[in-house]
Amino acid sequence: MTPNVKGALLMMGSMAAFTINDTLVKAAGAEVPLFQMVAMRGVLATILVYLLARYLGALHLNFPRHDKWLVAARCLAELSATYFFLTALLHMPLANVTAVLQALPLTVTLGAVLLFHEQIGWRRVVAIALGFVGMLTIVRPGPDGFSIYAIYALIAVASVTARDLITRRMSSHVPSLAVTLATTLTITLAATLASFGTGWQPVPAGAGIMIACAAVFVLAGYLFSVMVMRAGDVGFVAPFRYSSLIWALALGWLVFGDWPDTLTMFGATLVVGAGLFTFFRERQSYAKE
């Protein structure tokens, strides 16, 4: 197996794990309050990440203070993304929310241009613009198709964009699993505190099993995403992240009976197409260098 094939399989595995986690959370959310569910999943995920990080010797905090501030900022961005994404997920079809998130490569590229003054050509500018048109087609900012949860999905995209841009500023001295552990711990503590205000309810056996499985799939998604960065060419591997939309379409139909309408599918096609073109142009730019 070549490094590129291995990286592609790991990327698809990561996207599958995260999408299955989203499906389990959406299903369990019908019976368990959001903050209680996130707290329960977070406890299990934190324990699993801690054990893995300890086994791999990735628990040390011997990195610059500047990076520690970046880790803290990343945790806050991830906390915001978790709340707004899960709230949108519980009230919108799985494929719709996932399709909105496919704009992330475009928003990260745009953020890098605005904040870090990275240079991009006019073709990628057009691709980003088309991607945003596709995203607006999905959320449909009009009186008939728009809802507050569409805004939540857009805020989740902005939060994940901030998270990824912060991550790009971290030095290589910061262990990926240490960042993951800090993130899961932050989300777990915040959800636990918030759950005290809404109260805890008895958890049905089926929902409890789904939450436990969600924690396992979250860990698998994080682990595969770390392994992806160590296998294959990024320009080859990165486009396979769009496989999450295929998983979301299939699981949304099989589990919830949801299938996006024509406008949503058109918007998703625009977003994915623009993202793939952006990856292609970036790969060409690196090849020229």
Side-chain angles (χ1 to χ4, degrees), residues 37-51 184 188 208-216 218-219:
M37 177 173 57
V38 174
M40 293 174 61
R41 186 191 67 171
V43 169
L44 294 172
T46 300
I47 292 173
L48 292 173
V49 172
Y50 170 78
L51 293 175
T184 56
T188 302
I209 292 173
M210 286 190 286
I211 293 171
C213 291
V216 174
V218 162
L219 175 62

Side-chain angles (χ1 to χ4, degrees), residues 174-200:
V174 184
S176 298
L177 280 174
V179 176
T180 302
L181 180 60
T183 301
T184 56
L185 186 59
T186 299
I187 293 172
T188 302
L189 291 175
T192 301
L193 291 174
S195 68
F196 293 150
T198 57
W200 282 54

Side-chain angles (χ1 to χ4, degrees), residues 121-135:
W122 66 269
R123 293 178 181 84
R124 274 186 279 177
V125 172
V126 172
I128 290 172
L130 289 175
F132 279 112
V133 170
M135 188 166 60

